[in-house]
Structure formats: structure tokens, C-alpha cells
Amino acid sequence: MENSDSGLSGFDVEFLRQSFKRVGVDLKIQYMPWKRALEEARQGRVNGVCSCSQTKERTEFLYFSDPLGKASSGVFSLTKNNFPKLKTVDEIGTRPVGVVRGYNIIENLKEANVPNIIELSDEQQGLKVLLNGRIDFYYTYEAPTRYYLGQQNKSKEVVYHELSFTNYYSCFSKSANGSKTLLKQFNAGLAEIKKDGTYDKILAKYR
């Protein structure tokens, strides 16, 4: 999170900073839309992206670290709409659903032939259009959305329908020099912060 009101940068960013710090690697964070970040990594113009789930397409241009964490994905809807709890994306039907452009979960909507998909630039825009009633569902990852809701005191205005739960990773560009070395260094640092409790302390700040 760039320039957040709380001063927090996001737990994944903190995981990266602390992991690389343990192995003596300087880290420079650049903030950009997710789809652009992936393309920069594909071209080798950045060494990697902060965190991502693993897909067949991404394995063509990315190396994946040891699991960085677990991510719950699903749909948020407004509490006042009182929609029945969804168990699959098929149940969205023809209602408008927002999803961040470039997120791999958009493929789940396309495979289910969901007709009314609204592509969004980032998580904050997605939450904004949901709260404004411009979409019925916001399909995204639970943790960052709950954080933004808490910052805005809007948590009670939405309900969450979990659809899946998967590992996610730190990802390194195969086209960038030294990526295999960075991958090994990162995994070593990540193991250290998990072992000594730093990882859990970071996560606790966002709950």
C-alpha cells in the first residue's frame, strides 16, 4: 500500500523487506497496476513481483518462491442486498461483478461464462465501486479488502462469500539477471522470519 493513511505498507511488502534484509539484499519497491507489474516481470525490467498465485501461464516467465502465505478469494457484496451465500462463481449469474484487471481469478469468471464482468484497475477502486452500488459483487482476495474496509470503518456494510483458498508466492522474473540466486536468498530469509516469529508479528498488525 503506497502512502497509506496508517503508514503501513502491507504485510507482503513487509515479508519481502524483512526476508531480504536477513540475507543482506537491498530492496526497491515500485508501485504499479497489477497487470503492468506482471508485464514488467515478463520483460525482465523488474526482478519480480511482490506476491502472486501460481498459474500455468505465469510459470513460463516466473520462478515461484516457497509459499509466502495463504490467500482466501471470493466475492464481497453489500450487506443490505442480502444476497444468498455463494459457493461458486456460476451463482453470480448475470449480476455485475468487479475484478482487478490482471488477477488470475478473472479466468474463473470467464470459464463460468459470467457475462457481466467489470475490470478494475486496483483493489481500492474495486471496493469503491462496490460500496457505491455500481456492482453487485466484488471478486477479489479477502485479506487486503478487509484491511481497506477496516480503515474506512465500512466492515459491517459488506459480507464475504469465500470461494477458494490457495497458497501464494513471491515471484521472480526468469528474464532478469540473477533471479535464481535471488530466489534462493529470499527463501532462506523467509525461513528465518517464520522461524523466529517475525512473520507472525507482521501479520498480526493487519488483523
Side-chain angles (χ1 to χ4, degrees):
M1 299 177 291
E2 187 175 16
N3 302 319
S4 69
D5 293 338
S6 66
L8 296 173
S9 56
F11 50 82
D12 288 340
V13 171
E14 292 197 45
F15 293 155
L16 261 70
R17 289 193 190 281
Q18 287 298 321
S19 296
F20 279 124
K21 183 178 180 179
R22 295 301 177 89
V23 294
V25 174
D26 292 330
L27 183 66
K28 179 182 178 182
I29 300 290
Q30 300 179 57
Y31 292 88
M32 60 186 71
W34 177 243
K35 189 173 182 179
R36 178 186 161 198
L38 282 179
E39 185 58 28
E40 292 288 291
R42 185 194 298 272
Q43 299 299 327
R45 291 192 287 263
V46 296
N47 293 102
V49 291
C50 180
S51 60
C52 61
S53 53
Q54 190 168 5
T55 66
K56 183 178 179 181
E57 178 190 1
R58 291 175 187 173
T59 58
E60 295 176 3
F61 63 95
L62 294 174
Y63 297 119
F64 294 85
S65 71
D66 293 337
L68 191 60
K70 289 187 177 293
S72 171
S73 60
V75 292
F76 286 86
S77 64
L78 295 178
T79 304
K80 65 182 181 181
N81 287 339
N82 198 30
F83 293 132
K85 187 168 181 62
L86 304 187
K87 295 181 179 179
T88 68
V89 292
D90 302 73
E91 296 172 13
I92 292 172
T94 60
R95 293 187 179 278
V97 55
V99 62
V100 173
R101 188 179 299 111
Y103 275 8
N104 72 301
I105 54 176
I106 195 172
E107 297 304 320
N108 298 333
L109 298 175
K110 293 177 178 178
E111 288 173 8
N113 294 314
V114 174
N116 201 353
I117 302 171
I118 312 299
E119 295 192 31
L120 307 158
S121 61
D122 56 36
E123 292 161 350
Q124 289 169 296
Q125 184 193 23
L127 189 54
K128 181 178 180 180
V129 297
L130 175 67
L131 292 171
N132 289 342
R134 291 162 54 195
I135 53 177
D136 286 335
F137 297 108
Y138 176 34
Y139 187 29
T140 188
Y141 295 98
E142 179 184 19
T145 305
R146 285 205 184 279
Y147 176 79
Y148 288 128
L149 284 165
Q151 290 296 298
Q152 299 177 42
N153 294 315
K154 300 284 188 180
S155 297
K156 293 183 179 179
E157 294 186 24
V158 303
V159 293
Y160 178 64
H161 314 251
E162 184 179 80
L163 301 180
S164 65
F165 201 82
T166 59
N167 285 331
Y168 66 94
Y169 311 85
S170 182
C171 306
F172 297 86
S173 171
K174 291 182 177 180
S175 298
N177 292 331
S179 289
K180 284 188 175 181
T181 299
L182 279 177
L183 174 64
K184 291 178 180 178
Q185 290 174 310
F186 176 77
N187 283 339
L190 179 62
E192 275 196 33
I193 68 168
K194 285 186 174 182
K195 184 177 181 179
D196 69 11
T198 301
Y199 181 97
D200 290 332
K201 288 179 182 177
I202 291 171
L203 203 55
K205 294 192 291 184
Y206 295 86
R207 289 177 170 167

